[in-house]
């Protein structure tokens, strides 16, 4: 935009918002847990989708890993389910190296992991996810839902 003599304020502002989004999501999770009188420390948190975009398996530049790091630093017990990303691989920033090789929750155990989680965060809304009410707290990182927890899975159509 600058090269064409145009203002890049909008692009810069969008970049700032994207950088702040993982912190916003973690704050949302923490507030939702607090409303249920649960500390984030020791809470079981499931991330649904860790890819950068829906319906792909590419984790480059995904905000999911930064959300995971922030939750981990606050002593949350974090796991993930993403049928398109069976394990965290590839080049990771130094502060994300602890995730290298981590495997996602298996399809066979996802129902029990969802049931046993204190919070589920929809980070990447793959088509294989749906949202029936589970009576838990919702923390949809995509801003699509708010209030009673409404994130679960349907069987992945592999």
């Amino acid at each position: 935009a600058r090269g064409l003599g145009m203002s890049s304020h909008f692009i810069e502002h969008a970049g700032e918002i994207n950088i702040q989004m993982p912190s916003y999501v973690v704050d949302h999770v923490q507030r939702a847990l607090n409303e249920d009188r649960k500390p984030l420390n020791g809470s079981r948190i499931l991330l649904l989708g860790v890819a950068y975009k829906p319906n792909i398996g590419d984790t480059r530049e995904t905000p999911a890993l930064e959300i995971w790091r922030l939750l981990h630093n606050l002593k949350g017990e974090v796991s993930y389910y993403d049928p398109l990303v069976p394990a965290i691989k590839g080049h990771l920033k130094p502060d994300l190296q602890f995730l290298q090789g981590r495997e996602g929750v298996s399809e066979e155990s996802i129902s029990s992991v969802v049931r046993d989680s204190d919070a589920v965060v929809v980070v990447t809304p793959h088509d294989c996810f749906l949202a029936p009410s589970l009576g838990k707290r919702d923390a949809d990182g995509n801003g699509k839902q708010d209030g009673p927890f409404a994130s679960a899975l349907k069987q992945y159509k592999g």
Side-chain angles (χ1 to χ4, degrees), residues 66-83:
E66 179 63 13
I67 291 168
W68 190 333
R69 183 188 71 77
L70 293 169
L71 291 167
H72 173 79
N73 287 350
L74 293 169
K75 309 298 184 214
E77 297 176 14
V78 183
S79 59
Y80 82 94
Y81 175 71
D82 190 323

Side-chain angles (χ1 to χ4, degrees), residues 7 32 47-48 56 59 64-65 68 72 100 103 108 123 129 156:
S7 172
L47 303 180
L48 292 182
I56 64 165
T59 59
L65 303 183
W68 190 333
H72 173 79
Q100 190 68 259
E103 293 185 359
E108 295 76 31
V123 179
F129 300 155
Y156 175 64

